[in-house]
Amino acid sequence: MTFSDSGKIPTRVIVIQLVFLVVVAGVFAFVKIYSLRMDKERAARQLAERESRITDFFNSMVAEDSGRLVETQRGQMHPQTLRSTPSVDELQQTLGAADTSTTDFAGGLHLTWIGSGHTLEGSFNRGQLYCLSLKDNSTGHGTSAYVSSTNFQAF
């Protein structure tokens, strides 16, 4: 009896199709799991890079006035001041797009970058930075550095 005469599918063909289906499903599952794992690793790496950019930028923009001490809620500290007053575009070029953007009643712009451990807020007046605040996300404490060290605030 030939294959076309019997009307039955040989067991061997069914087994080959099942093996092929299992192999395809296994490859698909492996790719899916691997891509999810790679996405998580990439997201963690990007978050760490963002956190590093936030803290590095704050440290590069702020200078301590070592000749003075001021009393704060956290004890005595050297007041801090801004080294320069970059524009909005310069900050966004360095740190990337801000997570939040607000304006105050006087038309000042406030941009916030949120990292895993710190939040950086830049306050702008007429497009120039006048205040930079760095807050520790775990404690809520931080510092605000202004153009003038007389306005320094630790919180």
Side-chain angles (χ1 to χ4, degrees):
M1 190 180 281
T2 63
F3 178 68
S4 61
D5 293 336
S6 71
K8 294 183 178 180
I9 299 174
T11 306
R12 186 172 145 192
V13 172
I14 292 173
V15 169
I16 290 171
Q17 287 177 344
L18 286 175
V19 168
F20 178 73
L21 183 63
V22 167
V23 168
V24 168
V27 168
F28 180 74
F30 175 76
V31 167
K32 202 67 164 155
I33 290 169
Y34 183 75
S35 70
L36 287 175
R37 184 172 158 223
M38 292 307 295
D39 288 345
K40 282 183 180 179
E41 289 176 3
R42 187 179 325 111
R45 192 171 47 251
Q46 287 174 342
L47 191 60
E49 287 172 6
R50 183 178 180 97
E51 179 67 24
S52 176
R53 275 196 317 266
I54 287 172
T55 55
D56 290 348
F57 180 78
F58 184 81
N59 291 334
S60 70
M61 289 296 299
V62 173
E64 281 191 359
D65 183 359
S66 58
R68 290 184 18 212
L69 282 173
V70 293
E71 191 65 37
T72 67
Q73 297 169 347
R74 297 183 299 169
Q76 289 190 338
M77 297 179 71
H78 294 286
Q80 297 173 334
T81 185
L82 293 176
R83 293 179 196 260
S84 65
T85 58
S87 68
V88 175
D89 293 336
E90 291 170 336
L91 240 73
Q92 288 184 329
Q93 190 174 33
T94 304
L95 296 171
D99 293 312
T100 63
S101 173
T102 57
T103 55
D104 59 27
F105 68 94
L109 178 64
H110 303 272
L111 300 177
T112 305
W113 291 267
I114 302 169
S116 58
H118 294 91
T119 299
L120 180 75
E121 180 180 351
S123 301
F124 299 86
N125 188 16
R126 296 187 187 118
Q128 292 301 120
L129 182 69
Y130 72 88
C131 176
L132 198 59
S133 299
L134 184 69
K135 180 180 81 170
D136 186 325
N137 291 341
S138 62
T139 64
H141 295 293
T143 58
S144 294
Y146 293 85
V147 174
S148 171
S149 65
T150 58
N151 297 328
F152 170 74
Q153 295 177 354
F155 53 92

